[in-house]
Structure formats: C-alpha cells, structure tokens
Amino acid sequence: MKKILISAMALLFLVLSCKNADKSRFQVKLSYTNGDKMVTPQTIGKSNGWIFLEEIVYGKSQLPLIVDSQKISGASGNLNFQGKSQTQGIFELVFGDNVLAIPLINDGTEIQIEADLSKTKDFYTVTGSPASKQLQDLLAKVGERNSDIQTAFFQLDSLKKFNAPDSVLVAANNKKNAAVDQLNDYLRQFIQTTPNATLGVLALGWASRSFQPDQMETALKGLKTRFPGNAFLAEMEKNSQQQPEQQPSASGSWVGKTVPELVMADPNGKDVTISSFKGKFVLIDFWASWCGPCRMENPNVVKAYNEFKGKNFTILGVSLDKDKDSWKKAIAQDHLSWTQMSDLKYWNSQAVETFGFQGIPYNVLVDPSGKVIAESLRGEDLDAKLKQVLN
C-alpha cells in the first residue's frame, strides 16, 4: 500500500511553497490493541516499537516526511500525533519498520483511529475524516482491480511461454484488456464524483499509468472545473504542458540561498546565532528529544561530526523541544558535543517559521560564505556529501 501511494504522489504531486498559505494543525488520535503481536521475526531489531506520522511529498528523493512519532507502550493504549500542513494532503501512520500503514487525509482537525495490530487486513477504522474513510475504500477497490490485472498479465505471459494457440492468446489478451478497462472505468467514475480534490488528484495519479493522454486531459479538466483554484491541479496542468527536463524542482528548497539568521539560547542560557558560524562549513540540524527518528539518526550525525570536525566543519543543533531538562538529557545521552540552541517553543519555534520545514529530522548544510549547499542529508547521504565538499 505504501509503495502505491508514494508512486502515485511522485507522479503528480508537487510541494508548494510554505509561504503561500497558513499552516493548519490537526491531530491523529490512535487507540490500538494487540500492540505486542505486531512484532514478527522479520521485524526484530528494527524500529518496530515506534509509530510514525509521515507526510507523503514529492521531492528529489521522493521519501516521506516524518512529522511526529510515538513509541508503543504495552499491548493496548492511546497515542496522540500532532501534524500541520499548509494544504490538504496525504499522510500515513506507519507502524514499526513498515509492518503496517494507515493512509490519512487531513480534512479534519481531530482524526480518530482504532486499530487491531494483530491483523494485516481490515485492521483499522477511521472517524473524524470523511476523506480518509473514502481513501480506505479507494485503496481496497483499486487493490482488487490491480490484482485482477496482475493475474491476467501473468496468465498471458505463461501462455506465451508455452506457445499456446493464437486463439487462446487472443482470449487471454482480451481478458487482460478487460481488467484494465474495469480499473479505468472505476477510476474515471471516482474522479468524476469524488467530493474531495485531494482524492481526485490521487486517483488521477493512478489513472496516469493506464489512461490515454486524451483521457488524462479530460479527467484533469473535469477536476479543475469542479475544484477551481486548487493549487495541486494548477501545478499538474502546468506540469503536463512541460517537457520532463523543464519540470521545476520542488519549491521551498533552501539550496542555493543564503541561510537566514536565527538567535536562540544554548542550554546554559547564552545566545547563539547562525551568523557566528560564518567561515565554516556548518550542518544546521533540526531535531528534538521527543522525536524518535531524530534520536535514531543521531549516531550517524555523531559519526559525521567526529570524522570531519577537524576540516573546518561543525554542527549546530536546533531543538524543537519544550522541556529544557528533557532537551539537556537527550544531548548527554546521545553524545551531542557540538553547539545546541532552542527557544523551547515546540512547533511554535522561530526555527519552523524561518525555515518552513514541517517535519524533523531536517538539516541544511551551509558553506563558509553562508550559502546553503544541501539539505535533508541523512545516513550515507550525509557522509557522502561531507566527503565531497570537504576534500
């Protein structure tokens, strides 16, 4: 399910600049049972104890953006996830190392999920978000029709390998075409009737793999007529009129721009500024003690710091914490020996307002002149980029 969502979004969704609209907040309230049964032999040793709220976006890596995370505690429990987005979009609750995933649309301010983590199918219900319920139904029906298409393709391929008579191949090919037509008919009907623009765009993303160009154009025009002024649809139309090499990169990137100033206090109360690091390569790392993915990424950041700190390179940690003691404890536990600063305002931090990111971990790499030369570097990508620029 996760791959289907990401591929559809990667085809058509562009991230709009966060300066274009106000960010809206929402929360996802999860009530789960059988949390102890979610772990399988294949997931032992992985991040199976965490649940992540992720936003599916389009970018150069096409990776989901982690917005919030909580750790499972006990066989059953209730967890709250905080999210915010300047537009309505696709999110997912991801359980463990992709053991389970629940797709969501942020059309409500309080989305409630009940999940039985011992199951892999029909394991959740959703209320407080009509679009998320419609998305659940859409996934099920598209999945059924995709399965029919895959079966038909497999049968046709097998018959070809065994040199079946032409009459048999023609019948199998007709069956395959009928399965594709059934999917297209369903998607066309859904696109024409859905009351939600985000769902319409997502369905059009799936349809782009089987619709003819004129069918895509008709469907897109129909959505634009029903949802005038929708930014995603406008971007899709502009994209469809451009050659692939002319498509713009995701907006909102800091690469190539001068890093903005921030002034915050370190754990001892002394003011720290970004501008004071001018003359060095500096990785500005946005994180928090409560952020599970950040804490899991910290060993990679520590490794990079220890390897390159003697080469005119340093790190500035900017925390979205709200409790000073938790922040200081995490710094000590994770062995973060570089400069840290925070205004202890959680998602109301000036860092969020200035840099416009919507999830952490997030970072920008700044050169000695103060220009951002890379962003969102994690794991091996961070090591490779530092080796490139510091040699």
Side-chain angles (χ1 to χ4, degrees), residues 229-356:
N230 183 275
F232 282 131
L233 293 171
E235 288 289 343
M236 288 168 60
E237 184 177 50
K238 183 172 67 176
N239 241 21
S240 67
Q241 297 170 350
Q242 295 175 323
Q243 297 297 324
E245 65 270 19
Q246 295 174 315
Q247 291 182 5
S249 60
S251 60
S253 173
W254 279 101
V255 176
K257 301 177 183 178
T258 300
V259 67
E261 179 68 295
L262 273 183
V263 181
M264 294 181 183
D266 69 9
N268 297 317
K270 181 180 178 180
D271 281 347
V272 177
T273 63
I274 288 180
S275 59
S276 66
F277 291 85
K278 194 169 185 178
K280 288 188 175 184
F281 287 94
V282 56
L283 182 75
I284 305 176
D285 184 41
F286 301 92
W287 72 291
S289 67
W290 48 261
C291 170
C294 302
R295 303 294 296 274
M296 288 188 286
E297 179 65 15
N298 275 343
N300 294 324
V301 184
V302 171
K303 178 178 178 292
Y305 178 75
N306 290 333
E307 182 176 355
F308 298 104
K309 63 182 179 181
K311 298 183 178 182
N312 197 37
F313 169 77
T314 190
I315 298 176
L316 171 62
V318 183
S319 171
L320 268 62
D321 270 285
K322 51 187 175 182
D323 180 76
K324 189 171 185 178
D325 289 339
S326 298
W327 175 38
K328 293 172 69 173
K329 184 178 179 180
I331 293 172
Q333 288 177 337
D334 293 0
H335 307 289
L336 311 183
S337 55
W338 49 85
T339 303
Q340 298 283 339
M341 67 180 190
S342 177
D343 54 12
L344 300 175
K345 293 183 179 179
Y346 194 48
W347 282 107
N348 292 318
S349 172
Q350 184 60 43
V352 179
E353 180 67 25
T354 300
F355 282 85

Side-chain angles (χ1 to χ4, degrees), residues 23-271:
K23 298 182 177 69
S24 60
R25 298 178 182 273
F26 65 97
Q27 59 179 323
V28 179
K29 293 188 174 182
L30 170 68
S31 176
Y32 69 89
T33 57
N34 295 315
D36 54 330
K37 297 179 181 178
M38 185 180 72
V39 181
T40 66
Q42 290 74 29
T43 63
I44 292 176
K46 299 183 180 180
S47 55
N48 50 309
W50 288 89
I51 304 176
F52 307 105
L53 177 62
E54 300 181 350
E55 181 178 7
I56 298 178
V57 297
Y58 177 82
K60 60 183 179 180
S61 63
Q62 299 176 6
L63 294 175
L65 181 70
I66 296 174
V67 178
D68 198 0
S69 61
Q70 299 285 345
K71 191 171 180 63
I72 295 176
S73 178
S76 61
N78 299 289
L79 298 173
N80 290 342
F81 299 83
Q82 305 296 323
K84 63 187 204 176
S85 176
Q86 73 272 23
T87 58
Q88 188 180 108
I90 304 290
F91 293 77
E92 281 190 312
L93 273 186
V94 180
F95 296 76
D97 193 45
N98 288 331
V99 180
L100 298 169
I102 297 176
L104 303 168
I105 294 178
N106 57 322
D107 63 327
T109 58
E110 186 175 298
I111 304 172
Q112 298 181 344
I113 304 289
E114 292 187 3
D116 181 349
L117 302 185
S118 66
K119 301 179 180 179
T120 57
K121 292 183 179 180
D122 300 324
F123 68 95
Y124 73 93
T125 59
V126 55
T127 57
S129 171
S132 296
K133 178 64 175 91
Q134 293 161 17
L135 176 56
Q136 183 182 19
D137 296 338
L138 175 65
L139 281 167
K141 292 176 181 177
V142 170
E144 291 172 2
R145 287 160 176 77
N146 273 330
S147 179
D148 291 341
I149 292 172
Q150 291 170 3
T151 299
F153 268 103
F154 177 78
Q155 291 173 346
L156 179 61
D157 186 60
S158 297
L159 289 170
K160 288 179 179 179
K161 288 180 180 179
F162 287 98
N163 298 314
D166 288 345
S167 59
V168 175
L169 291 176
V170 169
N173 190 62
N174 289 338
K175 182 179 180 180
K176 178 263 295 182
N177 291 338
V180 174
D181 288 342
Q182 286 178 3
L183 173 63
N184 285 346
D185 289 343
Y186 172 76
L187 288 173
R188 188 180 298 108
Q189 178 70 16
F190 184 91
I191 291 167
Q192 291 174 351
T193 59
T194 179
N196 185 279
T198 303
L199 283 169
V201 175
L202 181 60
L204 193 58
W206 280 313
S208 67
R209 292 178 285 182
S210 54
F211 273 21
Q212 295 298 317
D214 60 328
Q215 294 174 321
M216 280 293 295
E217 183 179 358
T218 299
L220 177 56
K221 285 183 178 179
L223 284 175
K224 282 203 67 185
T225 300
R226 294 175 56 222
F227 303 105
N230 183 275
F232 282 131
L233 293 171
E235 288 289 343
M236 288 168 60
E237 184 177 50
K238 183 172 67 176
N239 241 21
S240 67
Q241 297 170 350
Q242 295 175 323
Q243 297 297 324
E245 65 270 19
Q246 295 174 315
Q247 291 182 5
S249 60
S251 60
S253 173
W254 279 101
V255 176
K257 301 177 183 178
T258 300
V259 67
E261 179 68 295
L262 273 183
V263 181
M264 294 181 183
D266 69 9
N268 297 317
K270 181 180 178 180
D271 281 347

